[in-house]
Amino acid sequence: MALKRSLVPQSVYRRQLAARLKELRDATGLTLTEVADQLEVNQGSLSRIENGERGTTPVLVRALLDLYGVKDEDRRADVLDLVRADKEQQKPWWRKYSTVLTPTRYDGYLALEAGATHLASYQPMLVPGLLQTEDYARAVISQMRKDLSPPQVESLVRVRMERQNSRLGGEAPARLWAILDEAVLRRTVGSVEVMRDQMRKLVEASERSNVTVQLLPFSLGAHPGLYGPFVILTFPPPTPDLVWLENPKNSVYLESPEDVENYTDIFDQLRSTALDPSETRTLIARISKELEE
């Protein structure tokens, strides 16, 4: 499996812009060297723009469109809109938390998640961040990130809560399909009371029209998800799907069609074998009641 270890793309719009500019250049038969010579710009910079590694300006894009013979005003406007949208997404709400986000590339994930329309999340050990209560998030972060001070922990808790409001609420909420192993609920995080509140939130979230929650019961035995957690992010066309794998110090994303298809197949297998949403709510209620005994 090929893991791409470079920094994640800064925005969905930048990825779309990169693909559009490369497509227009290819249609003319021009090489990057020829474009750079004619416009008197750095070839390396043009290459990074086409790879989605850096943004650009409306001035340069207009020059590229002129060189590529794009005269249709609507087509030009579409490309320039991507430039402006990318610049806007470089001012995200999470920027003020950059000191605690950057070390694990969490800020890169947030940039991707902000543009996703669908999120397919599998978690064998923890409740997904988008469904965590504040107390559960605080307990998880403080135990998993021993390098952080209490104020830094609180910063990450606030990020997690703002993510939930941003992606699961508002005018255009993302569609979240979360599959959890039963171990997620059997592991006491924080305290019994924290777990009860967390299970209550899971049930409430699962009743929302844009959220589906399924459990993989212990009785299922071994299954394809035992390899570990992952998130599949789906974006508006033509941007392709991505898979995100979070690690303590070196989180990575997979973007090759083969890798994405592999994880999509695994998620489909888990979805077909997990309890349905109604059965899931019943099991959550039962486990929550057991905590009271």
Side-chain angles (χ1 to χ4, degrees):
M1 181 188 301
L3 299 184
K4 184 162 184 177
R5 296 184 180 275
S6 58
L7 293 176
V8 298
Q10 291 300 304
S11 81
V12 173
Y13 302 112
R14 183 172 297 181
R15 298 176 72 211
Q16 292 178 340
L17 175 64
R20 192 73 58 83
L21 291 177
K22 186 177 187 308
E23 177 185 300
L24 290 171
R25 181 177 63 78
D26 287 343
T28 66
L30 292 170
T31 65
L32 275 174
T33 301
E34 291 169 335
V35 173
D37 288 344
Q38 292 196 46
L39 295 184
E40 298 183 337
V41 296
N42 183 275
Q43 181 180 334
S45 295
L46 287 178
S47 177
R48 288 192 290 276
I49 291 170
E50 282 196 6
N51 289 329
E53 296 173 6
R54 62 168 293 176
T56 185
T57 64
V59 173
L60 178 56
V61 170
R62 287 192 187 95
L64 289 170
L65 294 174
D66 289 342
L67 181 61
Y68 300 156
V70 180
K71 301 187 185 313
D72 183 89
E73 288 302 321
D74 289 338
R75 290 183 68 196
R76 294 175 68 93
D78 286 344
V79 177
L80 288 166
D81 282 346
L82 291 175
V83 178
R84 298 185 187 97
D86 174 54
K87 285 189 174 298
E88 281 302 307
Q89 205 167 34
Q90 303 316 304
K91 309 168 188 176
W93 57 263
W94 60 84
R95 175 170 287 181
K96 58 188 174 186
Y97 303 113
S98 60
T99 56
V100 291
L101 295 176
T102 303
T104 57
R105 298 184 182 173
Y106 193 26
D107 52 346
Y109 174 76
L110 294 178
L112 292 172
E113 186 182 80
T117 56
H118 293 73
L119 301 160
S121 171
Y122 166 65
Q123 272 289 351
M125 301 300 291
L126 295 170
V127 172
L130 286 173
L131 299 176
Q132 292 178 4
T133 66
E134 186 172 327
D135 287 337
Y136 184 97
R138 183 174 294 108
V140 167
I141 295 168
S142 62
Q143 292 303 307
M144 293 183 68
R145 294 291 306 275
K146 293 293 190 179
D147 58 311
L148 299 179
S149 66
Q152 289 175 317
V153 170
E154 289 305 311
S155 292
L156 281 181
V157 171
R158 288 195 295 274
V159 168
R160 202 151 293 185
M161 297 304 105
E162 289 190 45
R163 275 178 65 205
Q164 295 179 13
N165 294 332
S166 172
R167 296 311 297 129
L168 298 184
E171 297 181 358
R175 179 79 173 84
L176 172 64
W177 197 304
I179 299 178
L180 289 64
D181 195 280
E182 185 176 338
V184 172
L185 304 185
R186 296 292 184 181
R187 179 183 302 277
T188 301
V189 173
S191 68
V192 169
E193 187 58 39
V194 168
M195 292 305 297
R196 281 203 211 99
D197 289 343
Q198 180 59 74
M199 288 187 228
R200 189 178 304 116
K201 178 163 183 171
L202 279 176
V203 170
E204 292 172 354
S206 71
E207 293 172 341
R208 299 174 64 167
S209 60
N210 62 315
V211 177
T212 299
V213 178
Q214 287 184 274
L215 278 178
L216 292 163
F218 283 154
S219 59
L220 181 62
H223 55 73
L226 295 179
Y227 282 109
F230 60 89
V231 180
I232 304 170
L233 300 99
T234 299
F235 305 97
T239 304
D241 295 355
L242 286 177
V243 176
W244 180 259
L245 305 176
E246 185 176 4
N247 297 305
K249 293 294 183 182
N250 195 25
S251 296
V252 296
Y253 71 97
L254 312 179
E255 61 178 348
S256 75
E258 295 79 11
D259 285 330
V260 174
E261 183 178 0
N262 180 42
Y263 276 90
T264 300
D265 287 344
I266 291 174
F267 193 83
D268 288 342
Q269 291 177 53
L270 296 175
R271 182 165 50 186
S272 66
T273 54
L275 300 176
D276 67 32
S278 177
E279 293 170 327
T280 291
R281 285 190 283 269
T282 298
L283 180 55
I284 293 174
R286 191 174 80 215
I287 296 174
S288 180
K289 186 174 181 181
E290 290 173 7
L291 289 175
E292 299 175 6
E293 298 174 353

